[in-house]
Structure formats: structure tokens, C-alpha cells
């Protein structure tokens, strides 16, 4: 007879995370013909699961590029500040000053022109081994001789159907960002697109101050017995240069955040001594409705 004894031990190691100084986080809206707004919060420790701390006692002032005061943003609730009368204008540059009880922050960016884009046509094709691929042909007119930057996203809205315990059918509306599928040279030129298919970045390097046509699509909107597509939203965004850098670094950061062996990617905001950004962009939104 053999007797096997198994032993185990457990050692608890207390890991003390140092308390770092809280850093201001700025989330802004700078779009043509829209009120200018910012949301102010602070960073918190990795082991702090409470709600983000908001900055409700700041003075937020908006200036022209010549430092002429345009308006003091009106404080709302939960760290939200917004202009009451002033709306941003395309091709104009603005300066924002945020004065908190502890520090003063300055930031500046320009508001791009309104994005001139339009849907040309849609069809269903066989694409890279996928049947019923929904292809979209789009037209984009670049309106400035200077360099311009763009982003492309697709939002899928669909209904799901589930039979509950009583035999009735429960319906829920779901919205999600989906992959942009394309082999168009215009949309695969930017090296940042290796980090995300849900937010495609590109520039006007090959079509500056001209009109171009490009194609993309999705294989994710086919109907099933439990899912039916209601609409597809195409969001084509035009960015300032600072905005492009911010989104490019943010996309890379999100790509690596679940990789324990990678170094954190520095998100390139345009605010000294703070996180986030005050950046300009314009959104051209086209909605395709599906009727059955």
C-alpha cells in the first residue's frame, strides 16, 4: 500500500500602490456651428472603483487666436461646461483657458471645415469569400490646399428577438460600432489602421483639394432568425492635425491595453500638465434605413 501526501501553502503579499497626484482630464467638443463644451474630471488610482471625481469649481474661458475673450463657459453639473451663445466657426482657431483652484491650463486648436461627403450608391456583392457583403461607394471633396485628415466609422443598429419563458417574443434594440471592411488603397494607406478596423484614419495625401471616390462595406449586417438590421450609420469625420494625432495614439493605446508585455502608448493630447484634449473635428453622418 502506498500513501501519498500532498501539501500546499499560500502566501499573501501585500502590494502597496502609491497615491499619485490627481491629473486633470479634459474631454472637449469643438465642431463648426456647435456650442463649445468641455467635461472636466480627474484621474484616480487603479484600485479606486468609485465614480470619477469631477471638477465643478473651474473658470473656463474661450478666446480667439488673438486672445480676445469670446465667452466664459457656463458651468452645469458633473464637471460639464458649455458656451451659452457662442458657436464655433469653421477654419477658426480658438484658445481655451481652464482655471482650477490648483492650476491654470491653456490649450489651442482649430475648427476644421465642414466635411463635404456624400453617399453615391450601395449594393450587395461577393467579397473575399463572403456572400451578401454590403458595399458602400462614397464621394469625398477635399476643400483646402493644406493637409487634411479624416476618420471613418460604421454604427450598426439592429433588433434582437428572444422567446421568453412565457412564449412571448422579447425585442431589444442594439447599437454597436462594427469593422469597416475594405481593400481600397485610400483607406489602407495609414499605418495606424493596423490597430483598429472600427476607426479608419486617412489623409488627403493623394487627393488634396480634389474629389475622390472610394469603397468600403461590411459583412456584419446580414439578418438571421434572431437579428434584423434596422439602420447603418456612416460617420465620416474631418480632423485638425492635433485631433488626428490624438485619435491615432488613442487607437494604438486601446489596441495594446490588454497586452501585459507591451509598454503603454502615450496618448497625444494637446494640453500641458493634463490628459485629454481640446481638439477640432466635424462629423458628416449618413443614415441608411432598412425596410422589410
Amino acid at each position: 500500500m502506498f500513501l501519498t501526501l500532498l501539501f500546499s501553502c499560500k502566501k499573501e503579499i501585500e502590494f502597496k500602490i502609491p497615491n499619485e497626484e490627481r491629473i486633470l482630464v479634459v474631454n472637449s467638443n469643438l465642431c463648426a456651428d456647435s456650442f463649445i463644451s468641455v467635461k472636466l474630471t480627474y484621474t484616480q488610482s487603479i484600485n479606486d472603483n468609485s465614480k470619477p471625481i469631477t471638477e465643478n469649481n473651474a473658470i473656463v474661458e474661450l478666446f480667439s487666436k488673438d486672445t480676445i475673450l469670446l465667452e466664459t463657459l457656463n458651468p452645469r453639473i458633473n464637471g460639464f461646461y458649455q458656451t451659452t451663445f457662442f458657436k464655433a466657426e469653421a477654419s477658426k482657431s480658438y484658445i481655451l483657458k481652464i482655471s482650477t483652484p490648483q492650476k491654470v491650463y491653456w490649450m489651442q486648436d482649430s475648427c476644421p471645415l465642414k466635411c463635404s461627403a456624400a453617399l453615391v450608391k450601395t449594393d450587395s456583392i461577393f467579397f473575399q469569400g463572403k456572400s451578401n457583403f454590403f458595399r458602400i461607394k462614397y464621394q469625398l471633396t477635399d476643400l483646402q490646399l493644406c493637409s487634411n485628415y479624416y476618420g471613418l466609422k460604421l454604427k450598426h443598429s439592429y433588433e434582437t428577438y428572444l422567446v421568453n419563458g412565457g412564449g412571448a417574443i422579447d425585442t431589444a434594440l442594439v447599437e454597436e460600432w462594427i469593422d469597416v471592411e475594405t481593400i481600397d488603397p485610400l483607406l489602407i494607406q495609414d499605418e495606424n489602421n493596423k490597430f483598429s478596423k472600427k476607426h479608419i484614419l486617412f489623409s488627403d495625401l493623394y487627393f488634396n483639394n480634389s474629389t475622390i471616390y472610394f469603397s468600403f462595406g461590411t459583412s456584419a449586417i446580414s439578418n438571421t432568425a434572431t437579428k434584423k438590421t434596422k439602420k447603418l450609420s456612416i460617420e465620416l469625420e474631418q480632423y485638425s492635425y492635433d485631433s488626428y494625432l490624438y485619435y491615432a495614439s488613442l487607437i494604438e493605446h486601446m489596441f495594446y491595453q490588454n497586452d501585459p508585455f507591451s509598454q503603454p502608448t502615450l496618448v497625444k493630447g494637446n494640453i500641458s500638465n493634463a490628459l485629454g484634449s481640446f481638439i477640432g473635428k466635424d462629423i458628416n453622418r449618413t443614415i441608411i434605413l432598412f425596410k422589410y
Side-chain angles (χ1 to χ4, degrees), residues 140 142 150 186 202-212:
L140 172 60
D142 191 72
Y150 299 92
L186 173 68
F202 61 101
S203 71
D204 63 354
L205 179 63
Y206 301 111
F207 64 98
N208 183 264
N209 201 36
S210 63
T211 297
I212 195 169

Side-chain angles (χ1 to χ4, degrees), residues 215-271:
S215 297
F216 56 94
T218 176
S219 57
I221 66 172
S222 297
N223 293 331
T224 67
T226 59
K227 184 179 74 172
K228 182 178 289 185
T229 294
K230 304 300 290 183
K231 65 181 180 180
L232 185 66
S233 178
I234 307 167
E235 297 200 359
L236 188 66
E237 303 176 337
Q238 183 164 346
Y239 302 133
S240 67
Y241 181 63
D242 279 352
S243 184
Y244 166 79
L245 291 178
Y246 175 76
Y247 285 117
S249 61
L250 181 62
I251 289 169
E252 184 177 355
H253 169 76
M254 296 298 292
F255 178 83
Y256 284 119
Q257 69 172 349
N258 293 321
D259 182 357
F261 301 105
S262 67
Q263 292 293 323
T265 302
L266 179 63
V267 178
K268 298 177 181 178
N270 59 348
I271 310 168

Side-chain angles (χ1 to χ4, degrees), residues 92-228:
K92 293 291 183 66
S93 182
Y94 299 98
I95 298 171
L96 197 70
K97 177 184 178 184
I98 299 175
S99 303
T100 70
Q102 294 79 29
K103 293 182 180 179
V104 176
Y105 306 85
W106 292 87
M107 58 218 73
Q108 180 176 2
D109 200 17
S110 59
C111 190
L113 287 175
K114 295 193 71 66
C115 190
S116 179
L119 175 67
V120 177
K121 72 172 185 178
T122 64
D123 55 18
S124 181
I125 65 170
F126 188 81
F127 177 76
Q128 293 189 331
K130 303 171 184 176
S131 58
N132 297 320
F133 179 83
F134 188 75
R135 182 175 63 176
I136 302 164
K137 188 173 183 180
Y138 230 65
Q139 170 189 305
L140 172 60
T141 301
D142 191 72
L143 299 174
Q144 292 175 301
L145 283 170
C146 62
S147 297
N148 293 293
Y149 303 89
Y150 299 92
L152 177 65
K153 297 186 288 185
L154 291 175
K155 180 183 285 186
H156 183 208
S157 300
Y158 59 92
E159 285 183 342
T160 60
Y161 308 96
L162 180 65
V163 179
N164 61 30
I169 298 177
D170 290 332
T171 303
L173 181 64
V174 180
E175 289 189 333
E176 63 180 2
W177 297 105
I178 58 176
D179 288 353
V180 178
E181 301 174 61
T182 182
I183 56 173
D184 194 296
L186 173 68
L187 300 179
I188 62 176
Q189 60 166 311
D190 196 308
E191 64 176 11
N192 293 292
N193 292 331
K194 65 185 177 184
F195 300 116
S196 175
K197 293 183 179 180
K198 291 182 171 59
H199 192 169
I200 302 296
L201 299 175
F202 61 101
S203 71
D204 63 354
L205 179 63
Y206 301 111
F207 64 98
N208 183 264
N209 201 36
S210 63
T211 297
I212 195 169
Y213 296 86
F214 56 94
S215 297
F216 56 94
T218 176
S219 57
I221 66 172
S222 297
N223 293 331
T224 67
T226 59
K227 184 179 74 172
K228 182 178 289 185

